[in-house]
Amino acid sequence: MPRMTMIEAIRDAMHVTMAQDPNVVVFGEDVGYFGGVFRCTQGLQQKFGRSRCFDAPINESGIIGAAVGMAAYGLRPCVEIQFADYVYPGYDQIVSEAARLRYRSNGDFTAPLTIRMPTGGGIHGGQTHSQSPEALFTHVSGLKTVVPSNPYDAKGLLIASIEDDDPVIFLEPKRLYNGPFDGHHDRPVTPWAKHPLGDVPEGHYTVPLGKAVVRRPGKAVTVLAYGTMVHVAEAAAEETGIDAEVIDLRTLLPLDLDTITTSVTKTGRCVVVHEATLTSGFGAELCALVQEHCFYSLEKPIARVAGWDTPYPHAQEWDYFPGPKRIGEALINAMEG
Amino acid sequence: MPRMTMIEAIRDAMHVTMAQDPNVVVFGEDVGYFGGVFRCTQGLQQKFGRSRCFDAPINESGIIGAAVGMAAYGLRPCVEIQFADYVYPGYDQIVSEAARLRYRSNGDFTAPLTIRMPTGGGIHGGQTHSQSPEALFTHVSGLKTVVPSNPYDAKGLLIASIEDDDPVIFLEPKRLYNGPFDGHHDRPVTPWAKHPLGDVPEGHYTVPLGKAVVRRPGKAVTVLAYGTMVHVAEAAAEETGIDAEVIDLRTLLPLDLDTITTSVTKTGRCVVVHEATLTSGFGAELCALVQEHCFYSLEKPIARVAGWDTPYPHAQEWDYFPGPKRIGEALINAMEG
Amino acid sequence: MSDSIPLSLQVPEPEVRPGGKPDFSGVNIPRAGTVRRPDVDASPADFRDLGYTIIRVLNRDGEAVGPWAGALNDEQALQGLRDMMKVRAFDARMLMAQRQGKTSFYMQCLGEEAISCAFQHALSPGDMNFPTYRQQGLLVAGGYPLVDMMCQIFSNERDPLHGRQLPVMYSSKDHGFFSISGNLGTQYIQAVGWAMASAIKGDTRIAAGWIGDGSTAESDFHAALVFASTYKAPVVLNIVNNQWAISTFQGIARGGSGTFAARGHGFGIPSLRVDGNDYLAVYAVAQWAIERARRNLGPTVVEYVTYRVAAHSTSDDPSAYRPKEESDAWPLGDPIERLKNYLIGKGVWSDDRHAQFAAEVEAEVLAAQKDAEKHGTLHSGGKPSVRDMFEGVYKDMPPHLRRQRQQAGV
Amino acid sequence: MSDSIPLSLQVPEPEVRPGGKPDFSGVNIPRAGTVRRPDVDASPADFRDLGYTIIRVLNRDGEAVGPWAGALNDEQALQGLRDMMKVRAFDARMLMAQRQGKTSFYMQCLGEEAISCAFQHALSPGDMNFPTYRQQGLLVAGGYPLVDMMCQIFSNERDPLHGRQLPVMYSSKDHGFFSISGNLGTQYIQAVGWAMASAIKGDTRIAAGWIGDGSTAESDFHAALVFASTYKAPVVLNIVNNQWAISTFQGIARGGSGTFAARGHGFGIPSLRVDGNDYLAVYAVAQWAIERARRNLGPTVVEYVTYRVAAHSTSDDPSAYRPKEESDAWPLGDPIERLKNYLIGKGVWSDDRHAQFAAEVEAEVLAAQKDAEKHGTLHSGGKPSVRDMFEGVYKDMPPHLRRQRQQAGV
Ligand SMILES: Cc1ncc(C[n+]2csc(CCOP(=O)(O)OP(=O)(O)O)c2C)c(N)n1
Ligand SMILES: Cc1ncc(C[n+]2csc(CCOP(=O)(O)OP(=O)(O)O)c2C)c(N)n1
Ligand SMILES: [Mg+2]
Ligand SMILES: [Mg+2]
């Protein structure tokens, strides 16, 4: 099987769907001739022509609004927002339009579009290249929200998203683009080539939306994570020696509640991890659901490890980022008493 | 003491602050000559002139962006977004600009502005006149989010918000504008004149941001609510005869956690109520905090009663709205076992 | 700087407010027939003047004159008259139905009927409008059943949108009418995207975006112009300037000077202004712009100059912010009266036939209403089901929504 | 419709791509001195042509000619030369510092120095710029300490922004430099709001908004033009058209035809295009626009025609999308060379003095860097404190942040 980075896997997903379905179109800022600032769309214009893959003006509302119109026509646009931090100008078109079109028109019009965007920190990008806005999408009925944590899933989930008949927010943890990242920023970077999930099948396959996966089985405590934090949580489990079960949610909405409750019912302990700021983050929803569905199994309060409630800082990045140390402490604490 | 509706109380708050501080300016769509579609700004242009209160072009990003610039200059803009449903085009200016200006400039520039908007349902307004987007603000570090439930608080909180040195999102439950509403839409409307909190002092006073209040003391179960739901929860308590303690949060961020934990520690049971859609709503954060801080007191899982995870419907409004029946059932259920 | 004079904020105000005497002497109206008609493939830079004048066909004597005349034959013009009369009758009845509590909300297009009615006839099957709430004429002229519109308005058991949408927020793909949002301006860039899709697919369908004068201030107006000009999208970008945005006069959106049409010039988009109360002029300009789109020559901006005679919606009372008599003083007259006079002048219509048709149309609307009311009105009779509230959020209902539906007991 | 030809999407492309021969023959450049200078209070409708041409002062022979010449005396022009040289030297050193790992990121303004340097000198104390990341010249020409800029770039213990911001996202109220956001376009409408505030207070201060060619596509550009025109805000709306937006050429933002300046016309805002590589022309136009604002005559749009010689940022490699030699082919030359030749021609400067000043400025920048590095660079030496991460989110730290700070152990 070919080895791919997450960038290559994402590119391959678009390649596969574009080759298969002439209705798939790709556009966004710098995605055409240049192939995207992270090179995720490299080669697509050359291969499929300028009317299937093209540069867009710098207007996120325009990119998403045009995609809504195209989707209503019958296309399946897969658009790129250069950084998740820049999605807000297009937020109205997502919330008021893409998410509600099927409902308000009773299916007369639909919006099968995918909005890709690099998310998360760890690259010294400061406040406008590091944010994790997933909770702003999970609150919006009508959207699906996906966060892959490795090349295999990234390709399979992206194909599933493009083929999905509803609008999908596809968040790409940019710190994982070139290799798994366990939060130890001071150690050399591992490439995907050395990771089993860097093995990516050629051609078409999907990873279904709405299905979580147990990344690391364990009996002592359940860790709910997604994106970069899956790897950091795995590292924390190794380093503390705690027999944690690490669940990679993959899709935040629809959420795979069964996999979660099965695990927490077993372990009786739960730690929720994300990079986004704590308050009203997606971790809050996870806590609410876990305490509702596993109340009588819980032996300790569910703990959250998350970005602090501040804008994402530049110099203090590694104090902000929920690294293996903070997660490890939460695991140890979850095991006490 | 004069009796006021919530509209009059809000108007009076702007009147008081404008009279006291020449830096307070008010603008928004239709707020000038006409005085706002809900008449909250009626008479302000006449009294303070066209450069203190004026009509704005229909561009929510423009309204908020201009307010950020004015606030940076030294003014204290209090702007109106005609319905909370229309705030999304201005979301970027709130999230990326107002909320972060103090932080990113290390206090060199600040954004002391207040963004008022009618929120919530119950007026047959359909998907674009009914939404409750508070959780989209509570996730954003740097913002304060306020939701009054009566004229007395509305005036005191709005004055406090305008005088606050940080940006404040001020959500006005439109169903409460003219009277308290217990969720029984088929009964005659009660006016504020008959409610003790319709007594509103003249002149300047504040209700501090960040302080909740116990609206109905009780021992059996704690209900956390804000805005319209405070009244609906009170009705549900009366109707079920359950000795519920109803807490009116008033400010969602910063949150008065002490009042909450004191109550839940006492009652051991908790029901969280809001109009907004359930998933990733502010109720999720409340659940996460309560289970974290009151875990060992809780006798049952915390329940959430909220809007369903659908867009806000028109015909099915009263099936969507979390009325006294649904809250009552949650109370009864919370008391079982 | 120290010797500079103090600055002051300049806030535009309409000429008159309630109590004042309406005054439209500032509105510059050229004589009918005097504005030239460029070829559709002429260079936009060569006719920028058309963004600052008003194209008119019907003169005061009810004659069709000038280079934009002659686009319609008598039968077509008669059809236009009937369409407009039907829209007006429909509006009147639905307004009344709202006052009677049969629905929560209604919006008329009184005085603006020519614009949507004429435009619809210039389109071809397969084309798509991205309308606002004030283009019911597109549906009526397009033959969409009145009873379906009414069922939507009543949110009843036969409402095609299953009670989910606010009254008047219709949707009909088959009739080339995109689902109305309620959020202003969003549809404008969607129209451009739809048109781009048609071009990407190598189809021949074109799109029409619609926006009000006040809503041109919204950011998606800009997005639409940027995208349309960059990709030369086959789209007609219509601006209905009815002078008012709820209580706010058009000067607040338009700024100091210029016209709404002229906004297109900065993008190299050809831009025309037309008398929106002149059915023949509207049709001729629509046809011109649609042909440009169809021939892959790119977008056109069209500003229709008209007047919102009625209140903004049933929630509004315009006497609070403008003189009651202002609509009578509006210098471009009434679109139905003007087309009627033209047809009478041509000898193909008469006052009698007009009165007779008015009665017929009244009866048709009434019959439709009876039919619709059999299926319920907002507060009585047949209703959409509560189950419907949970359907259609996604194509397939995800587990959490299924749980919620169960909780709701439906 | 059935016999219509198929539509097709038209995607603009630059004249040449890597491997091709740079070609700017399509850029229409009038001779220096040939564009008229209207009075600042002339009606905008009377000089729309100035939005389609290029105002230039310095001709090929290094002479200042035409109606826009004469705004600066020799001492001021010399100051301009020194400012530009300092900016260029600063950029070069910081680029190198980034390559050496002393910071994470840097952005040069190579080739565009004249614009911000000249503009700054046309402002008065108390005025406020709302800049992008490419206007470091405003700070340098305004006398902001180089060492403070460097400390920000190094995110060190003396960084005025306490390490919170990405390098180059300066803020200095005292120097009339608004905090840079990183989100494109947002500052443009903020500039208008700030200017409105000055007018509301009856003050005499004016604002300047800055935006790149690519970013004019953003919606807040529209918001700014709408608000500026409606309230006649005392603001200069600057557009720096450096031909590129990362890898995307200006045709994607500009659309089919028209100019960026011409966008102002639709709002009745006077709009000028100016040679951005001509210090004297930039100053003269800036002065004109600032005077309009100061005299309460309202906003002006100014488009500076220039070329981004360097990469977009240290994260970018332009050889992937444009010919390497393109910047050499740029017909408006280099701003420093042009001003230098003018001053030598006037006899107030010489090649020797130029070389000497270049050495001086180099030494000054180096000294500043040494100074700054004493306080640390991104990965070594003095750092902002972790406590600082929790400060300044609000004026007073709310309880939940205090809890989090405790948890973080700081
Ligand atoms: C984003 C958004 N902001 C505000 C509103 C409230 N609103 C509804 S209609 C309207 C006025 C629109 O005026 P105009 O565009 O001139 O259209 P007209 O009603 O005259 O046809 C306003 C402000 C809205 N629906 N959406
Ligand atoms: C809202 C937003 N979208 C996208 C970006 C990413 N981005 C940063 S700079 C840039 C190009 C801007 O080009 P231009 O406006 O021409 O300015 P220049 O860099 O040429 O000075 C882009 C797309 C951003 N910073 N903010
Ligand atoms: Mg209007
Ligand atoms: Mg540029």
Side-chain angles (χ1 to χ4, degrees), chain A residues 92, chain B residues 29-30 37 58-60 81-83 85-89 128-129, chain C residues 107-108 112 132-135 169 181-186 211-218 240-248 250 253 308 312-313:
Chain A
D92 187 41
Chain B
E29 296 157 20
D30 299 298
V37 294
I58 305 175
N59 185 311
E60 289 75 13
I81 299 296
Q82 203 161 79
F83 285 85
D85 316 62
Y86 305 142
V87 74
Y88 308 120
T128 56
H129 304 90
Chain C
M107 298 182 97
Q108 305 172 74
E112 305 174 35
T132 80
Y133 45 72
R134 223 180 286 285
Q135 273 86 52
M169 302 290 170
S181 163
N183 286 51
L184 297 173
T186 50
I211 206 165
D213 49 305
S215 308
T216 60
E218 281 290 7
V240 181
N241 177 2
N242 65 5
Q243 313 300 319
W244 289 92
I246 311 187
S247 77
T248 306
Q250 46 92 16
R308 193 197 80 207
H312 171 73
S313 76

Side-chain angles (χ1 to χ4, degrees), chain C residues 10 13 25 65 109 114 128 148 162 179 200 224 227 271 311 314 363 399:
Chain C
Q10 296 165 69
E13 262 291 294
S25 57
V65 294
C109 66
M128 186 64 68
D148 288 6
H162 292 199
S179 157
I200 289 169
F227 276 66
S271 305
T314 47

Side-chain angles (χ1 to χ4, degrees), chain D residues 147-158:
Chain D
V147 62
D148 288 5
M149 294 173 77
M150 289 169 173
C151 289
Q152 197 282 326
I153 293 167
F154 294 149
S155 275
N156 68 15
E157 69 189 10
R158 255 198 52 193

